C-alpha cells in the first residue's frame, strides 16, 4: 500500500450552538388576566460560553430560563438543545434529556433535607440508574470545597455551603448546559465569588455552557457576555464588561 | 430508590405515622370482624336442635341437604352485624387511607418537584410513592392483624350469650380470617396510594421552583361526571329500593351515604371552597386577621381541606344517616302497628279472656316457628295460627288476592312482602317442615296486606298450628268489647290488658330500644376508628406546618394569633365537612322516609337531635383539639429564628 490517498481540506463540521432560542414567547394566563412574560426572544448560546441575563424585576428572566431548560413550555417558538428541539418531547424524554444534559442551581438551594450531602450529590446519578462511584462523588465535593462534609445534612450547613452542594449535584452528571437563577442571591460577596468561580471554571475547563440570571453587576461581570432583558424582550448586550459598565446599563434600562 | 423512600419516611414521620395508625386500626377492626365471623362459622349448635331438610332444587340449583337450627340459639344475628361492621370499617379505612396518602403527597409537592428537577421521571416518582405506601402498609397490616388476634378472645367472651348470639363462642383458627384482613389492608392501602401516586407523578419540576406548594382546584370533566354519577346512583338506589322495615333500611342507610360520600369527595375541589367561603363569612366579620387567614388557607387549598375533612365527612354522613333512618324506621313501625290493629284492647300472654263479661271477640293467634323450604335455601320462619273470622275483625287483615275464608287444612296466607320476594301466587304450594319434624305442603289461599310488627309473613289455620305445636300459647290477644261496652274500664278488669294505643306505643318503643343495641354495635367500632382518623389527619396537618408557623412568628404574629388562626381553620374544616355530612343525612332521611311511609298517613317524625348533635359536636371537638394541640406544642418548642434554615 504505497499509494497515498488524495488529501482534501477537511471542512470543520458546523457545530450547533449549545442552546438555541427561536422566537420564544410566554404568556401566563390566570384568573387575574394574561401576562406576556416573554414577547419574542431569539438567541444562540455558543458552546462553552458563560452568559449572564440581567433585567429589571419582572422582566421575564426566570421565565426565560425555565423555558430554555424545558421546565416550562413556551407559548410560541422553539428551544433547541445541542441540535435537538425540545418541542415534541414527552415528559419522560424531557426528564432524561434534562438529567443527562442540564444542571440547575437556584437561589433557594433546593436540596433534599432528608438526605446527606453525599446522597444529595449522588442522587442524579442514582436516578439515571447508575451506581455512583464513591470517588466521583468525593471528587466533585472536593472540587466545590466540601471535602469532609459528606455525612452532614443540609440543615447543618451554611447557605454558601448548601449552594456548593447544589453545584456539586449539578456537576456530577457533567451536563453540557448549566442553568443558574440568582445562584448568589442569598450569599455574601466572598461566598458569591467562590460560587461564580466554580461556574467560570466549568466553562473554561470543561467546555460547559452556563446561563445565569442575576441582579448583581459584580456577578454578571464573571460572564463573557451580559444579555439585558426588558419587558420580555432582549434589550441589548455587553461583552467582557466591568461591573461599573454593567451597573450603568442596568440603571439605563430601569429608567 | 428504596434508600430515598427510607430517608423520606423517616423525615415525614408524622405523615407516615398517621397513615400507619389509620391502616393498623382499620386492619385491626377488619381482622376482629373476620376472626369473630370465623368463630360463628365454626360454631356447631347441639345436634338435637337441628332440623335437616332437602332444598327443592331446580332452575340450576341442585337439591341439597341443609341443617337448620331449630331454636333462636344460632349466630346469624351476630354474623349480620359483623358483616356490616366489616363493611363500614372497610369503607372508612379505604376512605381515610386514600385521603391520608393524598394529603402526604400534597404536603410533599415541593420535594417531589425537586426530585423531578434533578432527573426523576414521573414513573419513578410514582413508584417511589407506591413503594413507601407498601412499606407502611405491610407494617401496619401485620400490626393490625396481631392486635386483632390478641383481642379476639375478649370480643368472643363479650359476644357469647348475648342477644345476638345466645351461645358460647370459641376462637377458631385465625389464619384465614387474618390473612383476609391483611390482604384487605394491603389492597386498600395500595388502592389509596395509587391515586396519590398518580397525582405525585403529575408534579412537575417547576413545582420545586414556585413558592406556593398549592395545588389548584381545577378538576377534570371525567371526575366531575363520576362525582355526579355517584350522587345520582345513591339517589336512584334510595328511590328504587323501598325498604318497609328497619332491617331493610339499615343496609340502605349504610350504602347510600357511602356512595354519596365518594361522590362528594370527587366533587370536593369544587364544593369545598364554596361551602368554606360561606362559613367564613361570619368569621371574617368577627375577627381581625385570624379569620381571614383561616379562610384563605381553607379555600385556597381545597384538596388539602378535603383530605382533612374526609374522615369527618364519612363518619358524620354514615352515622347520621343510620341514626336518622333507624328512628324513621321506628316511627314507621309505630304507624304500621297502629294501622294494623283495629281492636281497642290488647291482652299480653295466653290467659283466656273470652268468658269475661263485655268481651265480644277474642283473636288469640298462636305463634310458631317452621322451616320454609325453597329452591336453594331453607329457613326458620315465624308464623301464626289464626282464626280468620276473628282475626279479620280485630286486625287490618285484608286479602289482596285469594280468599281468607279458605284458610283451613294444609293452607297458608302469605304477606305481600314475602310473596314479592319469593314469587308466591295464590294456589302455589309452599313446602314446610314443622318443628315436630313433619313435612307438609301448604297451599297458598291468600296474599294479605303487610302488617309489620303485628302479623308474621306466614298465617296458618289455627287447627294446623295446634296439631303441630300443641304447647303453643298466644303471646298477645286482640280483644274487641261488646257493642256498648267502654274499653277503658274493661281493660282494668281483664288480666294483663292494655288499651291498644298504649300497647302500640310500647311496641314502637321496643323497636327503638332494639335498634339502640344494633346502633352501638354498628357505629361503635366505626366511630372509634373515625375518631382516631379525625385526630390523626388534623394532627398530621398541623405538624406539617411547623415552618409556616415559625415564619409567621418571625413576621410578628403572636403565638395566640397563630393559635386562633388554627382554631378558626380547623373549625372551618369541621364546619365544611359537617355541612356536607348533614346534606347527605338529610337526603337519605327524606328519601327513606318517603319510601317507608308510602301508603301510611299521619306518621310521626322523631328526629334524634341529641344523638345527631352529639356526633357533630364530637367531630368538631376532636378536629379542633387535634389541630390545636400540636400547634401549641410547636409554638412552645420553637423560636422564630428556626424559620431561617
Ligand atoms: N406562574 C406565573 N403565573 C402568572 N404570572 C407569572 C408566573 N410566573 C411569572 N409570572 C409573571 O411573568 C412576569 C415575568 O416573571 P419572571 O419571574 O420571569 O420575572 P424575573 O425577571 O425573573 O423577575 P425577578 O427578577 O423579580 O425574579 C412577571 O410579570 C410575573 O408576574
Ligand atoms: Mg426571577
Amino acid at each position: 500500500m504505497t499509494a497515498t490517498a488524495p488529501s482534501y481540506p477537511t471542512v470543520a463540521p458546523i457545530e450547533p450552538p449549545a442552546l438555541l432560542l427561536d422566537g420564544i414567547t410566554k404568556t401566563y394566563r390566570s384568573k387575574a388576566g394574561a401576562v406576556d412574560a416573554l414577547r419574542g426572544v431569539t438567541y444562540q448560546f455558543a458552546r462553552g460560553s458563560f452568559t449572564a441575563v440581567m433585567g429589571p424585576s419582572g422582566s421575564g428572566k426566570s421565565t426565560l430560563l425555565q423555558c430554555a431548560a424545558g421546565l416550562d413550555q413556551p407559548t410560541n417558538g422553539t428551544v433547541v438543545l445541542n441540535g435537538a428541539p425540545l418541542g415534541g418531547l414527552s415528559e419522560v424524554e424531557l426528564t432524561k434529556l434534562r438529567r443527562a444534559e442540564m444542571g440547575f442551581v437556584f437561589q433557594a438551594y433546593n436540596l433534599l433535607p432528608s438526605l446527606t450531602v453525599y446522597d444529595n450529590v449522588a442522587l442524579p446519578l442514582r436516578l439515571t440508574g447508575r451506581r455512583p462511584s464513591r470517588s466521583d462523588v468525593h471528587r466533585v465535593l472536593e472540587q466545590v470545597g466540601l471535602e469532609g462534609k459528606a455525612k452532614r445534612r443540609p440543615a447543618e450547613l451554611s447557605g454558601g455551603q448548601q449552594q456548593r452542594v447544589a453545584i456539586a449535584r449539578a456537576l456530577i452528571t457533567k451536563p453540557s448546559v448549566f442553568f443558574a437563577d440568582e445562584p448568589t442571591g442569598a450569599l455574601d460577596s466572598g461566598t458569591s465569588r467562590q460560587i461564580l468561580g466554580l461556574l467560570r471554571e466549568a466553562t473554561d475547563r470543561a467546555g460547559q455552557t452556563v446561563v445565569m440570571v442575576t441582579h448583581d453587576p459584580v456577578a454578571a461581570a464573571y460572564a463573557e457576555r451580559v444579555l439585558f432583558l426588558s419587558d420580555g424582550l432582549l434589550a441589548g448586550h455587553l461583552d467582557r464588561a466591568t461591573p461599573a459598565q454593567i451597573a450603568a446599563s442596568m440603571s439605563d434600562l430601569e429608567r | 430508590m428504596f434508600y430515598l423512600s427510607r430517608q423520606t419516611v423517616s423525615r415525614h414521620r408524622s405523615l407516615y405515622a398517621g397513615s400507619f395508625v389509620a391502616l393498623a386500626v382499620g386492619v385491626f377492626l377488619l381482622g376482629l370482624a373476620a376472626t369473630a365471623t370465623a368463630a360463628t362459622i365454626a360454631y356447631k349448635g347441639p345436634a338435637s336442635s337441628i332440623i335437616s331438610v332437602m332444598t327443592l332444587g331446580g332452575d340450576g340449583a341442585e337439591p341439597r341437604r341443609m341443617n337448620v337450627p331449630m331454636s333462636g340459639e344460632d349466630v346469624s344475628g351476630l354474623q349480620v352485624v359483623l358483616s356490616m361492621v366489616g363493611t363500614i370499617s372497610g369503607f372508612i379505612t379505604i376512605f381515610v387511607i386514600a385521603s391520608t396518602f393524598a394529603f402526604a403527597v400534597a404536603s410533599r409537592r415541593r420535594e417531589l418537584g425537586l426530585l423531578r428537577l434533578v432527573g426523576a421521571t414521573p414513573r419513578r416518582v410514582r413508584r417511589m410513592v407506591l413503594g413507601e405506601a407498601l412499606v407502611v402498609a405491610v407494617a401496619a397490616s401485620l400490626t393490625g392483624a396481631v392486635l386483632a388476634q390478641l383481642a379476639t378472645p375478649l370480643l368472643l367472651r363479650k359476644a357469647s350469650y348475648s342477644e345476638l348470639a345466645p351461645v358460647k363462642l370459641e376462637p377458631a383458627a385465625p389464619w384465614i380470617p387474618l390473612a383476609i384482613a391483611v390482604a384487605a389492608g394491603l389492597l386498600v392501602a395500595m388502592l389509596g396510594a395509587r391515586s396519590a401516586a398518580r397525582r405525585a407523578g403529575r408534579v412537575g419540576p417547576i413545582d420545586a421552583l414556585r413558592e406556593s406548594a398549592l395545588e389548584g382546584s381545577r378538576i377534570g370533566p371525567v371526575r366531575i361526571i363520576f362525582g355526579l354519577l355517584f350522587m345520582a346512583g345513591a339517589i336512584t338506589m334510595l328511590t328504587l329500593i323501598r325498604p318497609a322495615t328497619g332491617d331493610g333500611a339499615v343496609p340502605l342507610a349504610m350504602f347510600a351515604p357511602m356512595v354519596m360520600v365518594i361522590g362528594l369527595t370527587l366533587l370536593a375541589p369544587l364544593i369545598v371552597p364554596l361551602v368554606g367561603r360561606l362559613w367564613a363569612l361570619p368569621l371574617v366579620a368577627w375577627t381581625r386577621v385570624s379569620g381571614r387567614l383561616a379562610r384563605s388557607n381553607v379555600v385556597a387549598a381545597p384538596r388539602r381541606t378535603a383530605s382533612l375533612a374526609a374522615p369527618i365527612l364519612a363518619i358524620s354522613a354514615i352515622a347520621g344517616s343510620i341514626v336518622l333512618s333507624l328512628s324513621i324506621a321506628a316511627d314507621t313501625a309505630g304507624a304500621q302497628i297502629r294501622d294494623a290493629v283495629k281492636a281497642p284492647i290488647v291482652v299480653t300472654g295466653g290467659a283466656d279472656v273470652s268468658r269475661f263479661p263485655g268481651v265480644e271477640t277474642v283473636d288469640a293467634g298462636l305463634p310458631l316457628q317452621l322451616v320454609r323450604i325453597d329452591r336453594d335455601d331453607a329457613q326458620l320462619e315465624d308464623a301464626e295460627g289464626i282464626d280468620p273470622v276473628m282475626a279479620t275483625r280485630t286486625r287490618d287483615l285484608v286479602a289482596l288476592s285469594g280468599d281468607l275464608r279458605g284458610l283451613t287444612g294444609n293452607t297458608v296466607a302469605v304477606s305481600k312482602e314475602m310473596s314479592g320476594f319469593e314469587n308466591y301466587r295464590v294456589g302455589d304450594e309452599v313446602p314446610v317442615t314443622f318443628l315436630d319434624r313433619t313435612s307438609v305442603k301448604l297451599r297458598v289461599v291468600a296474599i294479605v296486606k303487610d302488617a309489620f310488627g303485628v302479623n308474621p309473613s306466614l298465617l296458618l289455620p289455627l287447627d294446623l298450628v295446634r296439631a303441630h305445636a300443641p304447647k303453643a300459647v298466644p303471646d298477645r290477644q286482640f280483644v274487641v268489647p261488646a257493642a256498648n261496652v267502654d274499653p277503658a274500664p274493661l281493660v282494668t278488669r281483664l288480666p294483663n290488658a292494655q288499651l291498644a294505643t298504649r300497647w302500640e306505643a310500647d311496641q314502637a318503643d321496643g323497636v327503638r330500644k332494639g335498634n339502640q343495641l344494633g346502633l352501638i354495635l354498628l357505629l361503635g367500632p366505626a366511630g372509634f376508628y373515625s375518631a382516631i382518623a379525625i385526630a390523626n389527619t388534623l394532627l398530621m396537618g398541623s405538624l406539617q406546618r411547623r415552618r409556616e408557623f415559625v415564619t409567621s412568628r418571625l413576621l410578628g404574629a403572636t403565638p395566640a394569633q397563630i393559635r386562633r388562626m388554627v382554631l378558626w381553620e380547623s373549625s372551618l374544616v369541621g364546619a365544611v365537612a359537617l355541612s356536607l355530612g348533614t346534606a347527605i343525612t338529610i337526603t337519605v332521611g327524606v328519601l327513606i322516609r318517603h319510601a317507608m311511609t308510602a301508603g301510611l298517613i299521619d306518621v310521626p317524625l322523631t328526629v334524634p337531635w341529641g344523638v345527631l348533635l352529639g356526633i357533630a359536636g364530637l367531630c368538631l371537638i376532636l378536629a379542633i383539639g387535634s389541630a390545636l394541640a400540636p400547634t401549641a406544642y410547636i409554638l412552645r418548642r420553637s423560636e422564630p429564628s428556626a424559620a431561617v434554615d
Side-chain angles (χ1 to χ4, degrees):
Chain A
M1 286 293 262
T2 51
T4 52
S7 69
Y8 299 104
T10 51
V11 181
I14 305 166
E15 208 188 344
L19 181 66
L20 167 71
L21 306 181
D22 187 5
I24 300 292
T25 71
K26 176 74 188 178
T27 306
Y28 288 111
R29 284 176 210 289
S30 62
K31 279 198 195 119
V35 181
D36 290 315
L38 294 177
R39 299 191 293 153
V41 175
T42 300
Y43 190 78
Q44 298 194 5
F45 295 89
R47 193 165 302 282
S49 64
F50 187 158
T51 312
V53 180
M54 295 192 80
S57 182
S59 55
K61 305 180 294 291
S62 298
T63 307
L64 181 72
L65 203 73
Q66 286 165 10
C67 287
L71 294 173
D72 212 346
Q73 298 274 339
T75 310
N76 281 306
T78 46
V79 178
V80 183
L81 185 84
N82 297 325
L86 301 190
L89 298 186
S90 73
E91 192 52 44
V92 174
E93 290 167 326
L94 256 182
T95 304
K96 289 187 172 153
L97 185 71
R98 211 179 284 130
R99 70 188 181 200
E101 304 283 347
M102 308 182 201
F104 296 95
V105 185
F106 295 99
Q107 176 173 357
Y109 321 116
N110 283 317
L111 302 178
L112 282 176
S114 51
L115 301 188
T116 62
V117 166
Y118 181 95
D119 284 335
N120 260 296
V121 172
L123 183 59
L125 286 185
R126 287 203 167 117
L127 286 170
T128 60
R130 274 183 282 161
R131 220 192 132 63
S133 81
R134 294 195 74 77
S135 60
D136 276 357
V137 177
H138 283 288
R139 190 176 41 71
V140 287
L141 280 178
E142 201 174 316
Q143 203 179 333
V144 299
L146 285 180
E147 56 272 43
K149 305 244 179 332
K151 292 231 168 67
R152 300 223 197 155
R153 285 181 204 268
E156 300 157 356
L157 296 176
S158 74
Q161 288 167 335
Q162 290 183 54
Q163 192 62 301
R164 280 185 274 158
V165 177
I167 291 184
R169 183 179 67 189
L171 282 170
I172 193 140
T173 56
K174 307 195 176 72
S176 60
V177 185
F178 269 101
F179 294 99
D181 195 346
E182 303 189 33
T184 59
L187 304 177
D188 67 72
S189 55
T191 320
S192 296
R193 238 177 285 132
Q194 287 179 327
I195 301 291
L196 292 161
L198 285 170
L199 292 177
R200 178 81 252 180
E201 210 179 281
T203 58
D204 290 350
R205 254 212 324 212
Q208 288 160 311
T209 309
V210 175
V211 183
M212 173 181 77
V213 167
T214 181
H215 277 289
D216 177 8
V218 178
Y222 275 77
E224 291 135 19
R225 169 168 282 194
V226 183
L227 289 180
F228 291 99
L229 201 61
S230 170
D231 255 343
L233 287 171
L234 285 183
H237 59 83
L238 282 178
D239 286 338
R240 303 188 190 288
T242 63
Q245 290 169 316
I246 297 171
S249 299
M250 269 301 286
S251 54
D252 278 350
L253 261 186
E254 276 164 2
R255 225 180 307 125
Chain B
M1 211 53 200
F2 225 59
Y3 85 104
L4 239 184
S5 292
R6 213 171 49 232
Q7 303 275 8
T8 44
V9 168
S10 68
R11 172 168 164 85
H12 296 279
R13 222 174 292 129
S14 62
L15 288 179
Y16 291 100
S19 316
F20 175 88
V21 170
L23 189 58
V25 177
V27 171
F28 167 69
L29 290 177
L30 281 177
L32 210 50
T35 51
T37 306
T40 62
I41 292 173
Y43 169 77
K44 298 247 183 306
S48 62
S49 66
I50 280 185
I51 285 194
S52 180
V53 295
M54 289 293 282
T55 61
L56 299 181
D59 241 15
E62 286 292 305
R64 64 189 169 112
R65 181 150 295 280
M66 277 193 67
N67 290 329
V68 185
M70 238 168 25
S71 60
E73 301 220 338
D74 72 337
V75 287
S76 58
L78 185 61
Q79 278 176 351
V80 170
V81 167
L82 284 175
S83 67
M84 290 209 235
V85 167
T87 310
I88 297 191
S89 306
F91 174 78
I92 297 191
T93 311
I94 295 185
F95 202 67
V96 166
I97 292 300
S99 65
T100 310
F101 281 132
F103 182 81
V105 166
S107 312
R108 291 170 57 194
R109 228 177 139 64
R110 227 187 138 124
E111 185 185 306
L112 296 176
L114 189 58
L115 280 174
R116 295 277 287 107
L117 185 69
V118 295
T121 56
R123 194 184 136 115
R124 185 131 229 179
V125 170
R126 269 200 311 270
R127 281 217 311 253
M128 185 182 95
V129 170
L130 282 177
E132 292 170 8
L134 188 66
V135 173
V136 175
V138 169
S141 301
L142 292 178
T143 311
V146 169
L147 291 179
Q149 171 61 11
L150 294 178
T152 302
L154 280 171
L155 174 72
L156 291 181
R157 208 172 309 147
K158 274 257 170 279
S160 294
Y161 305 118
S162 68
E163 232 166 285
L164 287 166
V167 299
K168 171 111 185 80
L169 292 169
E170 299 286 352
W175 301 114
I176 294 174
L178 288 184
I180 292 174
V182 167
L186 291 179
L187 187 75
V188 161
M190 292 336 274
L191 282 181
R194 216 174 68 136
S195 71
R198 208 174 307 137
R199 205 169 306 152
R202 280 203 293 268
V203 173
I206 197 132
D207 290 307
L209 306 180
R210 299 220 167 109
E211 187 46 51
S212 68
L214 297 183
E215 212 176 351
S217 69
R218 293 259 295 274
I219 54 177
V222 179
R223 184 164 168 169
I224 296 181
I225 289 172
F226 268 100
L228 293 175
L229 276 182
F230 272 104
M231 296 305 285
I235 289 176
T236 316
M237 189 153 100
L238 282 169
T239 42
L240 289 188
I241 306 174
R242 306 180 134 258
T245 60
D247 291 348
V250 169
L252 195 60
M254 187 172 90
F255 281 115
M258 284 181 188
V259 178
M260 284 201 246
V261 164
I262 298 175
L264 275 190
T265 309
L266 289 174
L267 298 174
L270 291 181
I271 296 176
V272 163
L274 286 180
V275 185
R277 244 182 262 276
L278 209 65
W279 278 107
L281 285 179
L283 271 189
V284 173
W286 290 335
T287 64
R288 233 175 290 145
V289 264
S290 46
R292 236 169 249 281
L293 277 177
R295 175 180 67 180
S296 49
N297 285 340
V298 166
V299 171
R303 281 175 197 264
R304 196 187 109 95
T305 308
S307 288
L308 294 178
I312 306 182
L313 170 61
I315 191 64
S316 65
I318 295 174
S321 298
I322 294 183
V323 167
L324 185 59
S325 303
L326 275 179
S327 175
I328 289 172
D331 286 338
T332 314
Q336 282 165 339
I337 294 173
R338 180 200 66 199
D339 287 359
V341 178
K342 289 199 292 197
I345 297 174
V346 180
V347 171
T348 312
D352 182 5
V353 294
S354 57
R355 267 180 273 271
F356 277 82
V359 170
E360 188 182 271
T361 309
V362 177
D363 167 15
L366 289 177
L368 91 163
Q369 290 189 309
L370 49 77
V371 177
R372 185 178 57 84
I373 301 162
D374 56 34
R375 258 191 222 113
D376 53 357
D377 202 9
Q379 271 176 30
L380 197 66
E381 301 269 6
D382 285 324
E384 187 181 355
I386 57 163
D387 175 346
V389 179
M390 300 289 186
T392 44
R393 269 189 231 157
T394 63
R395 321 179 191 183
D396 184 24
L397 189 60
V398 181
L400 301 172
S401 61
D403 192 341
L404 277 169
R405 276 172 300 184
L407 197 65
T408 53
N410 285 350
T411 56
V412 62
V414 180
S415 76
K416 179 162 178 287
E417 189 198 38
M418 178 171 280
S419 77
F421 282 141
E422 304 292 340
N423 226 349
Y424 289 139
R425 306 244 168 74
V426 173
D428 286 357
E429 295 205 313
V430 183
V432 301
T433 302
F434 290 105
L435 297 196
D436 63 6
R437 296 177 199 259
T438 42
S439 299
V440 290
K441 289 206 164 113
L442 301 178
R443 189 167 45 82
V444 177
V445 293
I447 308 291
V448 298
K449 210 165 131 183
D450 288 325
F452 303 105
V454 175
N455 297 342
S457 307
L458 300 172
L459 297 171
L460 274 47
L462 207 50
D463 292 333
L464 186 63
V465 171
R466 283 211 189 96
H468 292 286
K471 288 197 203 117
V473 280
D475 42 34
R476 80 266 174 290
Q477 308 171 54
F478 301 109
V479 176
V480 181
N484 46 15
V485 176
D486 186 1
L490 181 57
V491 162
T492 56
R493 277 185 278 128
L494 299 181
N496 297 327
Q498 270 179 309
L499 282 177
T501 43
R502 276 226 51 85
W503 181 78
E504 288 154 16
D506 286 355
Q507 297 296 303
D509 274 354
V511 172
R512 220 171 271 282
K513 287 229 181 62
N515 286 347
Q516 245 157 29
L517 175 72
L519 266 184
I520 292 170
L521 282 172
L522 210 56
L523 293 181
F528 163 73
Y529 181 48
S530 302
I532 290 180
I534 294 171
N536 198 10
T537 4
L538 278 127
L539 210 81
M540 249 165 52
S542 283
L543 284 175
Q544 280 299 303
R545 293 171 67 185
R546 178 168 176 276
R547 201 188 164 101
E548 180 196 327
F549 293 156
V550 174
T551 309
S552 311
R553 290 277 289 120
L554 199 62
L555 296 177
T558 63
Q561 276 173 325
I562 295 178
R563 275 199 300 271
R564 266 204 302 279
M565 178 186 83
V566 172
L567 167 72
W568 295 134
E569 214 180 298
S570 49
S571 313
L572 261 185
V573 169
V576 169
L578 288 175
S579 321
L580 300 181
T582 307
I584 292 180
T585 302
I586 292 177
T587 312
V588 173
V590 165
L591 291 176
I592 283 199
R593 184 173 156 86
H594 182 76
M596 291 190 84
T597 57
L600 291 172
I601 45 164
D602 246 2
V603 182
L605 176 62
T606 319
V607 178
W609 289 113
V611 183
L612 291 178
L613 291 178
I615 294 173
L618 265 175
C619 289
L620 260 187
I621 290 172
L622 264 173
I624 295 174
S626 38
L628 272 183
T631 308
Y633 172 78
I634 289 171
L635 289 174
R636 209 170 326 112
R637 282 265 312 247
S638 45
E639 294 299 306
S641 62
V644 207
D645 64 3

